[in-house]
Amino acid sequence: MDALTGSACRRYSADVIKLALYTDGVKLKKSTRHELWVLGATVLDLPLKIRSAQDNFVLIAAWYGTTKPIWSLMETFVNQELGRLILVGD
């Protein structure tokens, strides 16, 4: 069973776009303390083979600094932007 589209996801209406969010960080050079962190997503309502393709990964936000991202700040930004971009109609 696909955990990302299993019973937990089936509880939501078909009118909802379900996203799986991913984050990861990497040092770009050994000689620096700076790291690049990305927050990305894939749409869950795609077949597994298509959903996991690199071309279907959507970059939502990036953080570059000497500390890990402040996730509450990133969450606020993402929620505001998604709310601004997604229109719900009849």
Side-chain angles (χ1 to χ4, degrees), residues 49-66:
K49 189 172 185 175
I50 296 170
R51 179 179 60 218
S52 59
Q54 185 176 358
D55 292 344
N56 292 316
F57 182 82
V58 179
L59 177 64
I60 295 175
W63 174 280
Y64 181 72
T66 57

Side-chain angles (χ1 to χ4, degrees), residues 14 21 38 45 51 65 71 77 87:
L21 298 176
V38 296
D45 292 329
R51 179 179 60 218
W71 292 113
F77 168 76
L87 302 175

Side-chain angles (χ1 to χ4, degrees), residues 8-78:
C9 285
R10 285 195 295 267
R11 288 185 290 209
Y12 295 100
S13 160
D15 296 335
V16 174
I17 297 172
K18 296 170 280 226
L19 301 174
L21 298 176
Y22 303 94
T23 185
D24 199 4
V26 63
K27 281 190 176 189
L28 300 178
K29 293 192 297 185
K30 288 183 180 181
S31 62
T32 183
R33 291 181 31 222
H34 288 82
E35 296 180 357
L36 175 66
W37 287 80
V38 296
L39 175 65
T42 57
V43 177
L44 290 179
D45 292 329
L46 296 172
L48 182 59
K49 189 172 185 175
I50 296 170
R51 179 179 60 218
S52 59
Q54 185 176 358
D55 292 344
N56 292 316
F57 182 82
V58 179
L59 177 64
I60 295 175
W63 174 280
Y64 181 72
T66 57
T67 63
K68 288 186 178 182
I70 302 168
W71 292 113
S72 60
L73 179 64
M74 295 271 279
E75 178 184 11
T76 300
F77 168 76
V78 169

